Amino acid sequence: MLSFVLPRISRNAATKHIRSLTNASHSVQSTPRSAIVTGAGRGIGRAIALRLAQDGFDVCVNDLDKNVEDVNNVVKEIQSLGRSGVAFCGDVSSMASVQEMIAASVAGLGPLNVMVANAGIAKVSWPMDVTEEDMREMFEVNVYGVVNSNIAAAQQFIKQGTKGKILNAASGVSFRADALLPMYSASKSAVRSLTQSFAIELGRKGITVNGYAPGIVQSAMWKHIDTELGKINGLPQGENFNSFTKNIALRRTSIPEDAAKLVSYLAGPDSDYVTGQTILVDGGLVFN
């Protein structure tokens, strides 16, 4: 197994640095495919990256600098599956950083086939207590990050002269907790609209754009949400999370692999005629 570090491709001294690990001894397949997964150091993003590797994709794993150890561990897991992996630490709210990420992925893994705009953050508060700073941060990551990823990926597909698939993380959560997640819900609703708009614009280029909308997921993000809700309503750790289960038709909360299975379908050839859709994967919490 051979690992190496890609040279930094810098547009701006303030953009995040690149750390990469590439496995050169992956199994041979007739048509190599590569994917980028943002926010993939843990949780749903990690599960998606590993599932795509199992599906035969070489994967660029993205997350913030502070999560570099998680990112490198995911790359190693990808390598253990016999695929190639590139680690990129950078902030998706910066277009320059996203462009660097795509350049690093293409340099290490070859032409891009799938972009998964998974990175997101959540903040809990009453609607009237939302601060301007919280609102700005939420939209910079959850909305601008998706826009940057969609635009830069589409530009890469067009440059390559290939079709491609773009997948955006939306949210299927629409229940009483929305009152305590106003900006999160608003930002994820924006992702649904953006997914439709990009699907219309890029369809003529043969590029599909779809969304996947997880519900209540056993992940670090929902642990954070549970804790913050507890500070407001006084319920002990875990009780807010558990209380949602009775509203789910399948009577269990989700695990990251549930969302990864849907992304696997949307990233594969069986979904070639699906575009502009945001599909719920929440066990029957919300019905469209």
Side-chain angles (χ1 to χ4, degrees):
M1 181 180 294
L2 175 65
S3 296
F4 63 89
V5 178
L6 294 172
R8 175 170 179 162
I9 305 170
S10 180
R11 294 168 177 265
N12 186 317
T15 54
K16 303 297 184 180
H17 66 281
I18 303 168
R19 297 183 182 89
S20 67
L21 297 168
T22 301
N23 175 17
S25 57
H26 57 73
S27 58
V28 177
Q29 71 177 22
S30 57
T31 307
R33 298 177 296 167
S34 77
I36 295 172
V37 184
T38 67
R42 61 185 71 176
I44 293 175
R46 171 183 172 276
I48 290 171
L50 295 179
R51 177 56 189 258
L52 292 181
Q54 292 169 357
D55 291 345
F57 283 89
D58 297 323
V59 185
C60 174
V61 181
N62 159 262
D63 216 306
L64 297 172
D65 269 335
K66 65 181 181 180
N67 299 325
V68 63
E69 184 176 354
D70 292 330
V71 170
N72 284 333
N73 286 336
V74 176
V75 170
K76 291 175 182 176
E77 289 183 89
I78 290 169
Q79 292 176 339
S80 73
L81 296 171
R83 304 310 311 170
S84 294
V86 166
F88 183 94
C89 290
D91 188 343
V92 296
S93 67
S94 162
M95 174 61 89
S97 181
V98 172
Q99 290 171 332
E100 286 190 27
M101 174 178 65
I102 291 176
S105 179
V106 171
L109 305 176
L112 181 64
N113 301 102
V114 174
M115 165 64 82
V116 184
N118 175 75
I121 60 173
K123 290 181 179 293
V124 180
S125 66
W126 291 110
M128 295 302 292
D129 292 336
V130 174
T131 67
E132 182 178 355
E133 181 182 358
D134 285 345
M135 184 168 64
R136 181 178 293 108
E137 182 181 8
M138 190 84 64
F139 272 75
E140 283 180 351
V141 177
N142 295 357
V143 179
Y144 297 172
V146 167
V147 171
N148 292 340
S149 297
N150 283 220
I151 291 174
Q155 290 173 337
Q156 181 62 34
F157 295 145
I158 294 169
K159 177 182 177 181
Q160 293 171 178
T162 62
K163 299 177 182 179
K165 293 175 179 283
I166 298 172
L167 307 176
N168 298 323
S171 176
V173 178
S174 181
F175 56 105
R176 65 182 181 276
D178 270 3
L180 298 176
L181 296 166
M183 290 303 103
Y184 177 77
S185 298
S187 68
K188 290 302 185 177
S189 294
V191 171
R192 284 173 174 253
S193 296
L194 288 166
T195 295
Q196 295 170 0
S197 297
F198 278 111
I200 294 170
E201 177 67 20
L202 298 176
R204 56 189 171 181
K205 298 291 185 180
I207 300 169
T208 63
V209 187
N210 289 294
Y212 56 99
I216 311 301
V217 187
Q218 296 176 32
S219 65
M221 176 181 284
W222 271 99
K223 183 177 181 180
H224 166 72
I225 292 172
D226 179 275
T227 300
E228 294 303 308
L229 285 174
K231 293 177 182 178
I232 294 173
N233 60 27
L235 291 178
Q237 179 73 45
E239 285 303 307
N240 282 293
F241 188 88
N242 292 334
S243 69
F244 299 137
T245 304
K246 64 178 181 291
N247 297 314
I248 300 173
L250 294 181
R251 293 300 188 271
R252 72 167 178 87
T253 51
S254 176
I255 58 175
E257 286 72 19
D258 291 322
K261 292 173 184 177
L262 175 58
V263 171
S264 173
Y265 163 71
L266 293 173
D270 288 349
S271 65
D272 284 351
Y273 200 60
V274 178
T275 196
Q277 307 304 310
T278 295
I279 302 175
L280 299 175
V281 54
D282 64 3
L285 177 64
V286 178
F287 294 95
N288 277 344

